[in-house]
Structure formats: structure tokens, C-alpha cells
Amino acid sequence: MKLKVAFVSSEVVPFSKTGGLADVAGALPIELRKLGVEIIVFTPFYKSIEEGDFLYARIDMGDNLKISVGGREIDYRLYASLLRGDRVTIYFIDAPEYFHRKEFYTQDDDEAERFVFFQKALIDVLQRMQWKGDIIHINDWQTSLIPYYLKTIYAWDKLFENTKTVFTIHNIGYQGTFPAEKLPVTEILPEHFYPTGPAEFYGKINFMKLGILFSDKINTVSETYAKEILTPAFSGGLDGVLKQREKDLSGILNGVDYSQWSPQKDTLIPVNYSSQKIARKVENKKALASETGLKFSENTPVMAIISRLVSQKGFDLFLDLFDFFIEADAQLVVLGSGDEKYESFFRKLAFYSEGNIKVHIGYNNKLAHLIEAGADIFLMPSLYEPCGLNQIYSLKYGTVPVVRKTGGLADTVKDWDETPDEKGNGFVFGKFDSREFANAIERALNYYKDKRIWKKIQRNGMREDFSWRKSAKKYLELYNKALGK
Ligand code: ADP
């Protein structure tokens, strides 16, 4: 018997994306299907999807599709498409009143209603389909009330009596907290909302907390992050709750899409290369120089950053290192956008660098690929990092990562000096301290001068395999554990 899974996510590549969650939702279901899982995906029908270049069809579910939210009846429709031409069906729940907004996530007064609606509509659709599945796989706070609903307001429905829930936390920094006045629209029972109760968090309603308490299994996107979130420094206040569920909590590293992100196959870079033909990488270094205006110099290392410029990514460490970067015997390319203080720091750095530092504020996928292919060293000193993608891409492109030992960075990058038998693939520092960061960069710059060692470090990284297939097998195991198999 095939395992039947419904995968629910508030963003899915290529239809909608603000972060790593979308990449997971667009890739993991395809790999699970290849492993024999019967899987369907659900997501909101945002305005940008309706207006985008996608093929989709209306699904007839009978008349009168309505969901009540806070006493109001909201009409909705169901559409469907396929994930990346594969045979995984993705269903879109369409309610323009809630999902035709400028952004996927808002600060609007009815943000709670929007995702209460989405989750109730999902359950309604499953009921109409008479979907008697094994697993509902939910992701982040936008879907984390589903297990609670199934065990409370929908507990009457025998359809779900054998269905288990798996909750993946992609970033515990976003929990879905709302003022207590929203209780009626969430349909959270008053008996669950009292100080320190399952739905309560410092006087507010907390969707993620209910997800943690009511799901059958919980996981995060790396093993290290799964341990870190059990501690106050990383948990956003939920470590106590997670401790209660510790035996059901695990970490599964995200995979990456090597059809898009590998130097052999990348169609967005000028010259393809591989671990056998690393010498060709320099052609991309030339192209990067001409694209960004850096002066090309084969033996000058190019360091790179591609990131949201936010404190999570460790940018406070840069603020103390102005002189270090100005004086470094290396060039630097920065691609990103985010907080004004970091944007202006890098602009200033570029201004005073006499051409050795180039900064592109904004989002540019093509340039991101060129940077991965053309740079020598990738800097990612995150304060916390649930999984992280760019260090994994960097490994594949022979762009040696310098990272802080946290979350997914700790699980993917092995320090050259600390790993025996020349097995290291990058440079790692521990303490969140700018001096330590600078030391790690200096170690990288020193080894860069030794061609033999550098090539070894690059090759070690390029040979790593963080494909989705591996991760999907672990999710399949997790589903089976949830089912008690
Ligand atoms: P997060 O999801 O926390 O932002 P990840 O490392 O998991 O961090 O994923 C970031 C993704 O977004 C990567 O695919 C990266 O290439 C991309 N990215 C981030 N900033 C930019 C940018 N300014 N331009 C192009 N791509 C970017």
C-alpha cells in the first residue's frame, strides 16, 4: 500500500517564494513521489500566481464552497496544477479577499483570519475529496493549527481517525502570534487559552506552540538546529514546550536542487566546470569581474556574500571589520538587500575600497549564480541558520565557505584545520565574535595561497552530496515513525 500524504505550505516554488520553505515545498514532494509516496500539495492561490505564467485548472468540488471565519462566510474555489511538470498535483485554495494582497504575509488586522481560513479550507477540501490519508505534513505557523483542529473542532470526522500529522519548523523566529482578542476567529477553545496554556504565549495566541503540542512528529531542517531550539538562545521562547516533545523532535537537513545549482549543469554561468576540471572556474571569475567592475586578477581571492541583509545572517560581525575588509589582500562582492544599516555599511565599504569591493543591493538570481561560480570564498557567519542553502551551493561550486558553527552550517561545513585526513571542506568558527570571524577568513586567505591544499578543499566540497533524494528518504522514515511503523 502506498503511503498517502497531503503536504501543506504557504509558499511553493515556482509559484510563490519568500524563503527556504518554498524551495522545500517545491522539491521534497517530487522526491517523495519518486520513492512511491502518493502525495498532493496545498497552498494559497495568491494574486501573483493567478497573474503569473502558470497553467492551472479549476477543480469542480460542487457548489457553495464556503468556510466560516469569525462568523463570516467566505466563498472559495479550488484550482490545480502540477509541480514542475512532474506528476505531483498542487491544489490552490482561492479566496481573493484573503490572498490578493501585495505580499504573501502581511501586517494587516486579519492576518490570523487569512491563515485560519486557509487551514479550515484545506480540511474542507480533504473532506470533500473523502481523502483518507496517512499523513498531513504541515510547515511553519501558517499551517500549524491543523493538528489542533483535527483533534478538536473536527474530531467528529472519522475520515481522519488514522491520519497522523508531521510538523516541520523551518524557522522558529516566526511563530504566528496574535492578540488574545483574536481567539474567537481562531476557534481555539477557551479552555486551551490561559496563562502558560497550550495556545497562550505571554498573553498572546501562538499558532506555532499549538503545532508543537498537537502534531504527532516535529522536525526542523537540520540536526544541529533541532538541538539548538531546545535552548533559550535559539527557541524564541518555545524551548520549554519543545522539551515536552523532545522524543518526537528530530532534524532532517534540507536537500538542494542540483539541476539548478551545480557548476556542471548551471545554464546561467558562462563556463561549466566540475571537480575534475576546476581550472575552468577561472573563466567565471573573469566574467564576474567584468560583470561587477572588479579588476580581474587571477591570484587575488574573491570573497562573496549572497544574502538577505538581516541580523540573523550575522551582519553585525561585519560592522566591526570595516578596516579589515579595506586592508584585506582580497576582493569582495556583496549581493543582497535588507536592513538599511547593513546596506549603507556595505555601500560605504565599497566607496572606500578603491575598487576592491563591489556591492549590489537587490535580488538578482542570475548574478547569484555567477557569484557562486566566479568567487573563491563564500562568507556566511550567521547568528542562527536553520539549514541554509548558499553554503551548500558554495560547496558544489568549489567556492570555499567560511561559516559560523550553527544550525545547518555546522552540519554541512567541516573545518579544514579541525578535520583529520584532509577531509575538511571549508572554514568554521564558533563564537559570535568579529575577531573570530576575521581569523577564520585569514586562515582561508592563507590556504588560498597553497594551490595544492586549496584544490583539495574545493574538491572535498564539490564531492559532497546534499541532494533531495537523501533527505526525502529520511522524511519517509519520519512518516513511518509517526504511523507507529
Ligand atoms: P534564507 O532562506 O534564510 O534567506 P537560505 O540560504 O536558506 O537563506 O536561502 C537563500 C536563498 O535565496 C538562496 O537560494 C540564495 O541564493 C537566495 N538569495 C538570497 N538573497 C539573494 C539576492 N539578493 N539575490 C539573489 N538570490 C538571493
Side-chain angles (χ1 to χ4, degrees):
M1 272 282 284
K2 278 190 169 182
L3 216 63
K4 273 178 85 167
V5 176
F7 189 97
V8 197
S9 174
S10 57
E11 49 187 274
V12 182
V13 157
F15 302 100
S16 49
K17 171 168 174 170
T18 70
L21 165 61
D23 292 312
V24 177
L28 175 59
I30 292 174
E31 289 302 322
L32 284 165
R33 187 185 170 281
K34 289 185 194 156
L35 296 175
V37 175
E38 194 182 317
I39 189 163
I40 50 179
V41 178
F42 289 89
T43 198
F45 198 47
Y46 299 110
K47 190 166 187 210
S48 56
I49 303 177
E50 186 174 344
E51 290 173 349
D53 233 352
F54 306 108
L55 284 178
Y56 52 82
R58 172 101 180 254
I59 304 293
D60 186 3
M61 300 284 288
D63 299 329
N64 253 334
L65 302 189
K66 280 184 200 308
I67 296 296
S68 82
V69 180
R72 289 180 55 221
E73 297 286 318
I74 310 290
D75 292 317
Y76 79 95
R77 282 155 304 282
L78 192 68
Y79 290 89
S81 184
L82 291 172
L83 276 189
R84 245 207 274 139
D86 209 296
R87 277 169 290 171
V88 175
T89 303
I90 175 165
Y91 292 98
F92 301 102
I93 290 172
D94 177 40
E97 140 159 31
Y98 285 143
F99 299 126
H100 284 200
R101 307 262 168 111
K102 273 215 197 89
E103 311 279 345
F104 303 146
Y105 313 122
T106 75
Q107 305 288 330
D108 298 345
D109 280 345
D110 63 353
E111 188 70 353
E113 282 91 323
R114 296 176 73 224
F115 289 99
V116 164
F117 162 80
F118 174 60
Q119 297 175 85
K120 288 184 71 183
L122 163 89
I123 295 172
D124 192 54
V125 171
L126 293 178
Q127 288 173 322
R128 286 168 188 271
M129 289 175 166
Q130 282 296 294
W131 182 88
K132 209 174 172 54
D134 300 294
I135 301 283
I136 300 179
H137 186 160
I138 60 167
N139 295 279
D140 280 350
W141 71 262
Q142 293 87 350
T143 57
S144 66
L145 293 181
I146 292 167
Y148 177 79
Y149 286 157
L150 294 180
K151 284 172 181 155
T152 54
I153 54 177
Y154 293 94
W156 55 267
D157 194 343
K158 293 276 176 283
L159 184 67
F160 301 116
E161 76 186 335
N162 295 318
T163 304
K164 303 290 180 189
T165 49
V166 170
F167 180 22
T168 303
I169 298 173
H170 298 260
N171 189 339
I172 206 162
Y174 304 91
Q175 300 178 356
T177 54
F178 299 98
E181 302 84 77
K182 289 283 177 189
L183 206 59
V185 303
T186 63
E187 294 179 58
I188 292 166
L189 305 177
E191 71 213 54
H192 292 134
F193 189 79
Y194 56 88
T196 77
E200 196 266 0
F201 187 75
Y202 296 98
K204 290 187 161 179
I205 305 165
N206 185 315
F207 285 14
M208 188 170 268
K209 186 174 176 186
L210 277 176
I212 292 167
L213 290 169
F214 282 80
S215 299
D216 293 296
K217 293 285 176 195
I218 307 146
N219 81 298
T220 69
V221 291
S222 67
E223 286 179 18
T224 296
Y225 192 59
K227 291 188 196 111
E228 287 172 341
I229 61 174
L230 289 165
T231 65
F234 289 90
S235 72
L238 292 178
D239 46 295
V241 184
L242 281 161
K243 281 239 176 69
Q244 292 176 41
R245 298 299 317 274
E246 194 171 347
K247 74 171 184 27
D248 293 307
L249 171 66
S250 61
I252 301 178
L253 196 73
N254 284 339
V256 301
D257 185 350
Y258 287 131
S259 72
Q260 304 287 318
W261 290 97
S262 74
Q264 289 102 314
K265 294 191 187 138
D266 196 328
T267 55
L268 298 174
I269 60 176
V271 178
N272 291 105
Y273 60 99
S274 65
S275 65
Q276 305 306 321
K277 300 213 165 92
I278 301 187
R280 290 188 184 171
K281 185 171 162 63
V282 72
E283 295 303 321
N284 295 300
K285 186 168 176 171
K286 264 184 211 156
L288 177 62
S290 76
E291 180 70 31
T292 56
L294 280 177
K295 185 163 172 287
F296 173 72
S297 155
E298 183 162 357
N299 292 320
T300 305
V302 174
M303 305 185 286
I305 297 166
I306 305 167
S307 184
R308 294 183 289 123
L309 301 180
V310 296
S311 72
Q312 181 207 323
K313 299 294 178 180
F315 286 105
D316 289 325
L317 295 184
F318 287 85
L319 302 182
D320 295 334
L321 295 177
F322 190 90
D323 293 342
F324 174 84
F325 283 104
I326 292 288
E327 288 157 18
D329 201 4
Q331 298 176 324
L332 174 68
V333 176
V334 181
L335 170 63
S337 65
D339 294 355
E340 170 54 32
K341 72 171 161 178
Y342 306 126
E343 289 186 1
S344 60
F345 171 81
F346 284 115
R347 279 203 188 95
K348 197 167 135 203
L349 202 54
F351 181 79
Y352 285 101
S353 73
E354 296 178 355
N356 270 331
I357 298 175
K358 296 290 174 184
V359 176
H360 287 248
I361 300 296
Y363 191 93
N364 184 334
N365 186 49
K366 188 158 184 232
L367 182 58
H369 282 255
L370 182 59
I371 291 174
E372 286 292 2
D376 299 295
I377 296 170
F378 194 86
L379 307 180
M380 198 160 168
S382 302
L383 177 61
Y384 73 95
E385 193 60 75
C387 173
L389 290 172
N390 272 308
Q391 86 280 15
I392 304 180
Y393 300 155
S394 298
L395 289 170
K396 204 33 115 198
Y397 282 78
T399 304
V400 175
V402 175
V403 306
R404 195 170 89 79
K405 197 179 178 71
T406 184
L409 299 172
D411 293 352
T412 51
V413 182
K414 295 185 288 245
D415 186 87
W416 176 258
D417 288 319
E418 298 290 317
T419 315
D421 305 327
E422 301 205 326
K423 291 272 168 56
N425 59 18
F427 296 90
V428 182
F429 67 101
K431 199 165 154 221
F432 193 74
D433 175 278
S434 47
R435 201 51 246 163
E436 292 217 9
F437 180 34
N439 285 341
I441 295 173
E442 266 165 1
R443 285 196 292 131
L445 294 177
N446 275 329
Y447 281 116
Y448 179 84
K449 294 177 193 150
D450 184 326
K451 293 269 181 282
R452 183 196 75 83
I453 291 184
W454 195 254
K455 207 177 249 178
K456 182 79 188 138
I457 302 172
Q458 286 179 302
R459 286 223 167 102
N460 287 347
M462 295 176 86
R463 287 178 182 153
E464 299 276 5
D465 175 16
F466 296 105
S467 61
W468 266 113
R469 190 176 171 76
K470 265 179 147 175
S471 309
K473 283 185 183 158
K474 293 186 180 162
Y475 274 99
L476 190 52
E477 278 169 32
L478 184 63
Y479 294 161
N480 280 318
K481 275 189 198 149
L483 294 165
K485 289 183 191 164

